Amino acid sequence: MQDKNQKIITRFPPSPTGPLHIGNVRTALFNYFFARQNGGQFIVRVEDTDKVRSKKEYELGMLDSLKWLGLSRDGQLWHQSERVEIYKKYLRKLIDEGKAYVSQETEGDNKEVIRFKNPNKVVTFTDLIRGEISFDTTELKDFIIARNINEPVYHLSVVVDDFQSGVTHVIRGDDHVSNTPRQILIGEALGVPRPVYAHLPLILAKDRSKLSKRKHGQSVSLDYYQKLGYLPGAIVNYLSLVGWNPGTDKEIFTIDELIKTFDITQVQKGGAIFDPVKLDWLNKEHMKRLPKNTINKEIYNRLKNNDIISKSEKINDKKFVEKISETIFNHISKWGDIDTITGEGELSYFFEEPQYEAEKLLWKESSPDISKKHLMWIINQLDKIQNDSFDSADTAKNLIFDYATENGKGEVLWPLRLALSGKEKSPDPFTLIYILGKSESISRISNAIKKL
Ligand code: GLU
């Protein structure tokens, strides 16, 4: 058992057989918080013994992801594939001491395997989250610990590695609870200290089904969220709240605050729901806390990725781009939303003359003459303004809103919005006037009048 003065060491040991699953990310986070809040160490180990399924690209991707999330590891990066000689030594020791034996198999392709001599007893451990767990290991029989002397199975290598790297706390997914008795038995046979265990609840979709690649596709991988332009701080924050809460109303945390506040004993036992809507909300909260410059730069860069927009002169007008940024920012919850909006051509009208059919200008049963009259009235009002650009959308609103209320909001504002954007859905016409400026607005409204 643990010595109170012992340095706490946790580990994150993914298998590089696919993109990092968000469940694994949460496991990494909880290990990281626990190590850091105790002044301990956080070790990363690559469990790459499966030569067929392990890929270097997944390993590198996973290391990039840890960096992106802001999780720094301590010490060397461990690779199981480089440690076969060490596992061999431990396997020999077990065989020599009569605690394991080579078994001739009659079934399957394997001729010889190494089996653990099960002492057939009840193993009890106190899980930091699930409390006391007892397991009668008799039913495990003499389980396999190596396919041959060069190929230990996961249970053996994990015990050897955790021991050699001094791991004191094994914090991992619930799906490993049933592996724990085997690993405890192996540890006892090797005479190594038993780590403290904490098994985290599975992450479930909103319909309480297990989050799986088969059912939920790419959205189970961290990559997916990276590509959509979520902020790493928001992902860290959100995943921390999947299965844990601070017991207060506070929901927005930085990683440093999480290190201070996280409490492994308060992690819930039952399945934890992953809610993409809540993630979007939290991401937006983190976005709002970014410096204005960062926000404008990100929006500018994404706008420039769009063909139509990048060809327009206006993209170089800093003031203009800042104004659109305000509007765009109100309509997104992650950076990738900008790509979606521009991809659908939703912002093109800010950069080029809108194209639309004349009939679209008419509100319901309204006539061309009435629409024309309202648009002319608006041009006259805008003409009275001295400056070409407005301070805010309110300038136009103050000019037009009362008139629109008296003459019918639809009758007045619908053709105005259409004239300015060519779209049935767009920011309100006052915002459009503010962004486009006086002369551009007047020119677009005049064009609409010509069409009518
Ligand atoms: N490589 C295992 C996995 O990715 C880790 C098991 C463990 O934490 O002991 O599930």
Side-chain angles (χ1 to χ4, degrees):
M1 282 289 133
Q2 302 303 307
D3 164 359
K4 279 217 159 47
N5 300 316
Q6 197 178 11
K7 196 181 189 81
I8 281 175
I9 301 181
T10 63
R11 42 48 139 207
F12 177 55
S15 311
T17 53
L20 202 54
H21 188 283
I22 48 173
N24 273 333
V25 175
R26 188 197 52 180
T27 300
L29 290 173
F30 288 4
N31 275 285
Y32 180 80
F33 299 153
F34 189 73
R36 291 286 172 264
Q37 67 187 197
N38 288 293
Q41 290 190 349
F42 172 71
I43 285 177
V44 178
R45 178 168 77 225
V46 185
E47 302 213 321
D48 55 354
T49 46
D50 184 337
K51 292 195 190 73
V52 183
R53 293 175 60 229
S54 297
K55 297 230 158 66
K56 206 68 186 171
E57 63 182 274
Y58 292 133
E59 175 185 329
L60 297 176
M62 171 207 96
L63 294 175
D64 276 349
S65 297
L66 290 180
K67 206 182 262 167
W68 184 72
L69 293 163
L71 309 190
S72 56
R73 71 160 189 271
D74 295 300
Q76 65 177 114
L77 177 66
W78 294 67
H79 283 95
Q80 286 192 330
S81 57
E82 292 165 3
R83 297 173 44 76
V84 176
E85 287 308 313
I86 295 164
Y87 305 136
K88 234 166 154 170
K89 208 179 81 193
Y90 283 91
L91 276 170
R92 288 228 169 84
K93 180 169 160 8
L94 288 175
I95 295 171
D96 289 348
E97 291 173 1
K99 293 172 179 162
Y101 58 92
V102 178
S103 153
Q104 303 293 331
E105 303 289 302
T106 47
E107 280 168 42
D109 300 336
N110 272 334
K111 311 228 163 18
E112 266 182 18
V113 297
I114 300 170
R115 288 190 177 272
F116 181 75
K117 195 155 174 25
N118 191 338
N120 296 331
K121 62 177 208 174
V122 174
V123 164
T124 300
F125 63 99
T126 307
D127 189 286
L128 286 183
I129 296 163
R130 299 166 53 111
E132 196 174 287
I133 298 178
S134 285
F135 197 94
D136 183 354
T137 64
T138 310
E139 62 188 75
L140 300 174
K141 308 221 174 76
D142 285 355
F143 53 89
I144 295 175
I145 52 173
R147 280 177 279 275
N148 58 59
I149 194 78
N150 295 310
E151 275 188 87
V153 304
Y154 154 71
H155 297 298
L156 183 101
S157 44
V158 91
V159 173
V160 171
D161 290 343
D162 286 346
F163 165 60
Q164 289 211 326
S165 51
V167 166
T168 57
H169 291 73
V170 169
I171 303 169
R172 60 185 176 188
D174 238 353
D175 44 337
H176 288 288
V177 173
S178 62
N179 293 330
T180 304
R182 282 186 190 80
Q183 293 168 13
I184 288 176
L185 288 181
I186 296 173
E188 286 177 353
L190 290 173
V192 302
R194 187 198 288 192
V196 176
Y197 291 95
H199 288 96
L200 309 172
L202 275 184
I203 300 187
L204 307 175
K206 280 203 108 165
D207 63 3
R208 301 201 69 84
S209 65
K210 192 180 154 188
L211 264 197
S212 73
K213 179 121 192 252
R214 195 174 42 78
K215 183 155 181 214
H216 302 98
Q218 301 299 325
S219 70
V220 301
S221 305
L222 180 68
D223 280 7
Y224 173 84
Y225 300 91
Q226 269 178 289
K227 285 194 195 114
L228 284 179
Y230 284 87
L231 298 176
I235 301 273
V236 166
N237 189 166
Y238 180 65
L239 287 177
S240 302
L241 299 174
V242 178
W244 171 77
N245 72 73
T248 62
D249 288 343
K250 187 169 161 73
E251 292 189 284
I252 299 153
F253 290 90
T254 63
I255 194 161
D256 288 332
E257 289 171 328
L258 286 164
I259 291 171
K260 289 200 191 90
T261 318
F262 176 70
D263 181 352
I264 188 90
T265 65
Q266 295 305 307
V267 172
Q268 75 194 47
K269 293 188 183 68
I273 305 287
F274 181 85
D275 177 0
V277 176
K278 180 87 186 273
L279 168 62
D280 275 10
W281 172 79
L282 208 55
N283 195 62
K284 186 64 182 274
E285 290 303 311
H286 279 261
M287 285 167 81
K288 288 180 192 162
R289 287 161 176 75
L290 291 171
K292 246 214 141 52
N293 269 343
T294 311
I295 296 177
N296 288 343
K297 217 161 121 197
E298 185 72 43
I299 296 180
Y300 171 78
N301 287 337
R302 294 208 176 234
L303 287 175
K304 272 205 95 159
N305 281 336
N306 181 271
D307 266 357
I308 295 175
I309 297 176
S310 68
K311 281 191 198 112
S312 160
E313 279 289 301
K314 283 171 141 186
I315 189 71
N316 301 317
D317 179 343
K318 212 167 162 249
K319 267 251 121 38
F320 179 70
V321 174
E322 269 173 28
K323 282 189 201 168
I324 317 181
S325 296
E326 280 176 44
T327 315
I328 294 176
F329 194 73
N330 291 333
H331 288 88
I332 58 172
S333 55
K334 50 196 173 288
W335 299 128
D337 290 347
I338 301 170
D339 308 335
T340 312
I341 301 172
T342 56
E344 288 164 354
E346 285 299 327
L347 293 173
S348 310
Y349 56 79
F350 282 125
F351 297 90
E352 55 174 17
E353 189 76 28
Q355 307 293 327
Y356 55 89
E357 308 289 311
E359 306 89 76
K360 278 209 175 165
L361 284 163
L362 301 183
W363 168 252
K364 292 186 178 164
E365 317 285 274
S366 190
S367 75
D369 283 346
I370 291 180
S371 307
K372 233 189 243 180
K373 187 184 93 186
H374 293 323
L375 291 175
M376 303 264 254
W377 185 88
I378 293 167
I379 289 186
N380 280 328
Q381 295 303 305
L382 292 178
D383 234 355
K384 289 185 195 152
I385 302 270
Q386 293 289 323
N387 298 328
D388 191 45
S389 69
F390 307 114
D391 297 335
S392 73
D394 281 346
T395 316
K397 192 169 182 182
N398 291 340
L399 279 178
I400 302 165
F401 198 74
D402 286 346
Y403 176 83
T405 314
E406 280 161 32
N407 294 276
K409 280 189 205 145
E411 296 272 4
V412 177
L413 300 180
W414 177 269
L416 177 59
R417 175 211 291 278
L418 242 301
L420 295 167
S421 70
K423 300 265 180 202
E424 292 168 13
K425 269 194 199 150
S426 72
D428 66 81
F430 313 119
T431 304
L432 293 173
I433 292 174
Y434 160 62
I435 293 173
L436 293 167
K438 173 178 160 179
S439 25
E440 178 76 29
S441 299
I442 290 179
S443 141
R444 290 188 182 191
I445 301 168
S446 309
N447 287 339
I449 292 172
K450 276 184 217 140
K451 282 189 189 233
L452 281 166

